[in-house]
Amino acid sequence: MNYYAYFVAVGVMLLGVVGIATSRSLVHAVVCLSVAQSGTYVLLIAVGFQYGGVAPIFGGQVGRTTAVVDPVVQALALTDIVVSAAVTSMLLALVIQIAKRHQAIDPDRLGRLEG
Amino acid sequence: MTRRIRLVVLVVGIVAFAAAMSLAFTGMPHFGGDIHAYRDAAVSGTYAHDTANVVSSINFDQRGFDTFGEETILFCTVVGVAALLRPVHRERRREVSDAGLVLESTGLLVYVLFPLTIVLGVNVVAHGAVTPGGGFQGGVILSTGIHLLYVGGRYSLLRKLRPLVWFQQGEALGVVLFGALGIAGAALGSALFANVIPQGQLSDFISSGTVPLFNIAVGMTVCSSVIVLLASFLDQTLAIRADAGNDSVRKPRSGFEEGSAS
């Protein structure tokens, strides 16, 4: 039970990896990459969690000595989300170009290398 | 590599990875424990600068240079997507009509939600140092609000209300502003991205020094980036069409269109 959240994180990530490996469409593969990356959000937030900790926003009842959850990993998760969005949009643009060039987005039908 | 071999390799890899991760997790501190060394350091740093939102303080005060890198990633992505999605050889841009059925209830909902979303976005950006939120979140809300117009079925209205040139410049301006604030920290204070403005009272609207300014810069960049990105994709879907002369073997009569497109 102590490591439950960590295993959920790895499970989500592996689900995304399996999706990429068995993918029949590049759009599906890009979405699976986002799923795999979502596992890292779960891991980051799980690492910073503390039982009884509150959100790290000061004021009112939350003061310097109040137990808060780790804000550093939350900031990292925010960075993670921004990078994920950037990567997804870039990959989708590439998929559009591939679809235009080869009239196919099934990775198994895109075997030929072009120089 | 056939599909079968690929699956075998995948299963072997997953088993090895799962074993390694299980080993690593059993060595980690317990979930939900109260030992967080970085948390303690970040909290005392945030308190020293009278910032209410610790996450904002970390992003824009304590590790401002990292956030600058993050913003640059976003900027470069927009440039890359714009380069990839421009109309290429043998493509032309067609005029998009506003045809299509939009339910009246959808239209009404858009009219109600459009101003509300914009106000909410501005609010989230402005209070980034005090309440949950900040430039990244507020920027995304703002750009979503503008794209509600498209949900309401009016692409021409969206194009009128969203002069793309403004947002391309707004994006660059946000990045420049962010960098300038960082350099101002170096010029007036001790280090790059130092918080040089007096921080005021904790939880006041005007508090925490440079953090709100950074939030505004990031809000500009994120809002403009998302708008330019979605504009590229929408343009690709709605306006850009392959020339009828693409397959000249199949359609021999397309010489006229090819001539008019160039």
Side-chain angles (χ1 to χ4, degrees):
Chain A
M1 189 62 202
N2 274 326
Y3 308 104
Y4 177 64
Y6 302 148
F7 284 110
V8 169
V10 170
V12 172
M13 203 196 106
L14 287 181
L15 213 62
V17 171
V18 170
I20 294 172
T22 59
S23 172
R24 295 231 178 244
S25 153
L26 285 178
V27 176
H28 173 262
V30 172
V31 174
C32 285
L33 184 69
S34 299
V35 172
Q37 200 157 13
S38 308
T40 60
Y41 312 153
V42 179
L43 182 66
L44 280 171
I45 301 300
V47 164
F49 182 71
Q50 171 176 354
Y51 284 113
V54 294
I57 312 286
F58 294 133
Q61 288 97 38
V62 184
R64 184 164 189 158
T65 51
T66 321
V68 294
V69 295
D70 194 341
V72 177
V73 288
Q74 295 192 0
L76 287 178
L78 184 62
T79 308
D80 201 351
I81 291 168
V82 173
V83 172
S84 166
V87 167
T88 305
S89 58
M90 197 76 176
L91 286 176
L92 285 177
L94 280 172
V95 171
I96 289 178
Q97 285 300 329
I98 290 173
K100 274 185 197 167
R101 247 169 198 281
H102 300 275
Q103 276 84 42
I105 52 168
D106 183 348
D108 289 336
R109 291 177 55 195
L110 294 169
R112 210 182 58 214
L113 276 179
E114 278 184 17
Chain B
M1 194 189 286
T2 63
R3 222 174 157 75
R4 197 177 185 82
I5 301 175
R6 195 191 307 165
L7 279 180
V8 170
V9 172
L10 176 70
V11 169
V12 171
I14 284 180
V15 169
F17 179 75
M21 286 316 263
S22 306
L23 209 66
F25 286 154
T26 47
M28 273 171 76
H30 282 200
F31 173 72
D34 54 0
I35 302 167
H36 294 285
Y38 289 116
R39 188 260 324 258
D40 300 338
V43 163
S44 58
T46 306
Y47 238 83
H49 282 177
D50 285 315
T51 312
N53 183 350
V54 187
V55 178
S56 270
S57 172
I58 290 170
N59 267 331
F60 301 114
D61 191 355
Q62 298 170 27
R63 49 179 278 265
F65 193 63
D66 287 8
T67 309
F68 184 60
E70 185 184 341
E71 214 183 46
T72 320
I73 291 175
L74 202 61
F75 185 73
C76 295
T77 308
V78 173
V79 174
V81 169
L84 279 171
L85 291 185
R86 72 194 188 284
V88 289
H89 183 54
R90 283 181 179 162
E91 280 181 346
R92 69 196 152 80
R93 199 178 290 273
R94 65 167 187 151
E95 212 43 55
V96 181
S97 62
D98 282 342
L101 182 72
V102 178
L103 289 177
E104 276 182 22
S105 54
T106 313
L108 179 70
L109 207 62
V110 167
Y111 274 119
V112 174
L113 282 180
F114 174 66
L116 279 181
T117 319
I118 299 291
V119 171
L120 176 71
V122 172
N123 179 45
V124 169
V125 173
H127 289 84
V130 187
T131 57
F136 287 107
Q137 297 91 326
V140 173
I141 296 174
L142 276 175
S143 58
T144 316
I146 289 174
H147 282 94
L148 279 177
L149 294 173
Y150 175 66
V151 177
R154 289 170 198 80
Y155 186 65
S156 59
L157 190 62
L158 174 68
R159 282 186 59 183
K160 258 181 235 151
L161 245 160
R162 183 206 63 183
L164 215 50
V165 184
W166 289 14
F167 288 104
Q168 283 159 354
Q169 289 166 356
E171 188 197 6
L173 190 66
V175 175
V176 169
L177 206 63
F178 200 103
L181 279 167
I183 293 170
L188 305 173
S190 51
L192 208 58
F193 291 95
N195 196 341
V196 286
I197 302 178
Q199 279 102 30
Q201 189 73 35
L202 184 80
S203 311
D204 273 2
F205 176 58
I206 305 285
S207 68
S208 55
T210 51
V211 175
L213 300 177
F214 277 124
N215 268 320
I216 291 169
V218 167
M220 273 171 71
T221 311
V222 171
C223 173
S224 311
S225 302
V226 176
I227 284 174
V228 175
L229 274 180
L230 285 180
S232 306
F233 281 110
L234 277 178
D235 206 36
Q236 190 69 213
T237 315
L238 298 173
I240 295 180
R241 285 288 173 272
D243 243 353
N246 212 344
D247 305 305
S248 50
V249 183
R250 201 152 46 92
K251 289 179 187 166
R253 61 160 195 87
S254 59
F256 159 69
E257 277 194 2
E258 215 164 12
S260 67
S262 61

